[in-house]
């Protein structure tokens, strides 16, 4: 039996959740956006509004289309607002305990047929599914940042994920105009299994004094044609997220080659988490980003 998705709930109104809400609404889905406070939901809505306004100013979208997209997104301060959602995508912080608590509180509010997707970038989908009342209807839907721009969605089946759940997810990914790649449920899946050790190695390269922030980023931008240098990208992803993913790889694969660089740990302990806190490997508080080392 095929499952039709019309209304999508999104948990987390930050850079990932907000982006997911935006692309889903732009593709015709009704969206309900949740976060831990109304302020955060409103901040997420303001970012979406700003992104769409930029598209209007570039002539990629009309003012009428922007109004229609925004009208499809409603604020969902509690999970009760998801009672008619066909799919809820969790895009909260990359912390397993928090995700578990979310799923425990979420499940009783959902209709029995609703699917749950997690945007986790590295945590076991099977393990997260086991904390819900519906492992067959649970799937990993991993978007890339910035969601409106990046073409890929990585889809990960848990051990119990049903074929109907997978097919409904595939249909959603196609409807929002993205390309899907399927990854098996192992730590970091595909993208982060490869990307994060590269970023971590760039941080070791800095830590060991092989290069400065600027020389490392320039080397990879101009020498390997990466759109951003690895340290710039780390700031963009968020250093706390980078560290969480390295810890999942390190513990999940039990191999010392994945050990997080102590310098990454130090930045996170300082609260220098990258662009979102306006300081990371670069300082974003001025007009132009300035390297912090
Ligand atoms: N939100 C929405 N749109 C954005 C955006 C954002 N944060 N940043 C840029 N854009 C849009 C711009 O509006 C512009 O749109 P148009 O083409 O319609 O004009 C387009 O993207 C290109 O932007 P710019 O010309 O300003 O900048 P750019 O050419 O330098 O590209 C970039 C910006 C797309 C972010 C590019 O630098 C890039 O591809 N960087 C690498 C990103 C990457 O690797 N992402 C994956 C991270 S890993 C991940 O997400 C997985 C995980 O779990 C950690």
């Amino acid at each position: 039996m095929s499952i039709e998705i019309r209304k999508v709930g999104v948990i987390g109104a930050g850079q990932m959740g907000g982006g997911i809400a935006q692309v889903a609404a732009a593709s015709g889905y009704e969206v309900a956006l949740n976060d831990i406070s109304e302020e955060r939901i409103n901040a997420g809505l303001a970012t979406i509004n700003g992104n769409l306004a930029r598209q209007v100013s570039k002539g990629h979208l009309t003012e009428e289309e922007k109004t229609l997209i925004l009208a499809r997104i409603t604020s969902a301060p509690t999970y009760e607002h998801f009672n008619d959602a066909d799919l809820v995508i969790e895009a909260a912080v990359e912390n397993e305990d928090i995700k578990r608590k979310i799923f425990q509180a979420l499940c009783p509010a959902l209709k029995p047929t609703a699917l749950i997707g997690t945007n986790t970038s590295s945590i076991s989908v099977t393990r997260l599914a086991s904390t819900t009342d519906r492992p067959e209807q649970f799937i990993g839907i991993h978007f890339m940042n910035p969601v409106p721009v990046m073409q890929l969605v990585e889809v990960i089946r848990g051990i119990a994920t049903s074929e109907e759940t997978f097919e409904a997810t595939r249909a959603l990914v196609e409807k929002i105009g993205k390309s899907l790649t399927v990854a098996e449920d192992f730590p970091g899946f595909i993208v982060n299994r490869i990307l994060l050790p590269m970023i971590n190695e760039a941080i070791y390269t800095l830590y060991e004094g092989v290069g400065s922030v600027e020389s490392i980023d320039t080397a990879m931008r101009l020498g390997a044609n990466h759109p951003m240098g690895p340290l710039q990208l780390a700031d963009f992803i968020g250093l706390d997220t980078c560290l969480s993913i390295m810890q999942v790889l390190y513990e999940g694969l039990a191999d010392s080659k994945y050990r997080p660089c102590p310098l990454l740990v130090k930045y996170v302990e300082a609260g220098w988490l990258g662009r979102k806190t306006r300081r990371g490997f670069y300082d974003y508080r001025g007009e132009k980003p300035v390297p912090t080392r």
Side-chain angles (χ1 to χ4, degrees):
M1 202 185 66
S2 72
I3 303 163
E4 205 193 334
I5 297 171
R6 291 166 193 266
K7 179 164 177 181
V8 178
V10 179
I11 299 176
Q15 55 186 1
M16 298 307 292
I20 295 167
Q22 180 185 324
V23 295
S27 308
Y29 290 102
E30 292 292 317
V31 176
L33 185 60
N34 166 272
D35 207 313
I36 53 172
S37 68
E38 299 223 19
E39 290 75 48
R40 288 205 193 200
I41 298 173
N42 291 337
L45 291 170
T47 304
I48 295 171
N49 191 13
N51 281 344
L52 295 174
R54 202 170 58 229
Q55 287 189 24
V56 172
S57 69
K58 285 179 179 168
H60 298 328
L61 205 66
T62 65
E63 195 59 58
E64 293 71 43
E65 285 166 332
K66 172 176 174 262
T67 308
L68 281 175
I69 295 170
L70 285 174
R72 281 190 209 112
I73 311 177
T74 52
S75 171
T78 66
Y79 296 147
E80 276 62 49
H81 291 80
F82 291 153
N83 63 8
D84 56 348
D86 305 297
L87 164 70
V88 174
I89 302 177
E90 170 276 317
V93 306
E94 196 61 2
N95 174 310
E96 191 163 338
D97 279 345
I98 293 177
K99 289 188 194 291
R100 277 169 185 272
K101 288 194 182 109
I102 287 174
F103 295 132
Q104 271 155 18
L106 172 69
C107 287
L110 297 180
K111 60 183 183 184
T113 53
L115 309 182
I116 304 177
T118 174
N119 183 55
T120 180
S121 44
S122 61
I123 300 169
S124 164
V125 171
T126 299
R127 207 161 61 229
L128 290 175
S130 74
T131 67
T132 73
D133 59 1
R134 60 193 79 199
E136 304 76 19
Q137 290 156 240
F138 191 95
I139 195 161
I141 313 179
H142 181 212
F143 288 82
M144 306 296 133
N145 187 17
V147 179
V149 183
M150 303 299 281
Q151 265 305 299
L152 185 77
V153 178
E154 210 173 13
V155 174
I156 307 102
R157 292 181 178 94
I159 202 165
T161 308
S162 71
E163 206 44 37
E164 289 79 14
T165 302
F166 177 78
E167 284 307 327
T169 305
R170 182 209 292 279
L172 175 121
V173 171
E174 283 169 3
K175 187 167 164 185
I176 61 178
K178 306 265 185 217
S179 299
L180 170 145
T181 193
V182 176
E184 287 298 319
D185 188 19
F186 288 105
F189 317 128
I190 295 174
V191 172
N192 287 331
R193 171 80 178 259
I194 299 170
L195 184 64
L196 263 295
M198 191 272 292
I199 288 175
N200 196 47
E201 198 61 28
I203 303 170
Y204 269 113
T205 309
L206 176 67
Y207 178 61
E208 291 170 9
V210 181
S212 64
V213 168
E214 235 161 6
S215 55
I216 292 165
D217 276 350
T218 303
M220 294 309 285
R221 269 193 303 106
L222 305 186
N225 259 10
H226 290 189
M228 286 179 171
L231 301 172
Q232 196 188 0
L233 183 57
D235 277 357
F236 183 65
I237 293 170
L239 302 189
D240 51 342
T241 302
C242 290
L243 179 58
S244 301
I245 297 170
M246 285 313 296
Q247 275 159 343
V248 167
L249 291 175
Y250 185 51
E251 283 155 26
L253 297 165
D255 188 331
S256 65
K257 77 177 176 183
Y258 298 110
R259 67 195 186 283
C261 179
L263 188 60
L264 173 61
V265 176
K266 188 186 274 192
Y267 270 75
V268 172
E269 284 174 347
W272 292 15
L273 306 182
R275 282 203 201 177
K276 61 185 164 191
T277 57
R278 305 185 72 203
R279 227 180 326 182
F281 292 109
Y282 293 85
D283 187 332
Y284 300 91
R285 291 170 301 169
E287 255 180 34
K288 249 182 72 204
V290 179
T292 51
R293 285 180 96 81

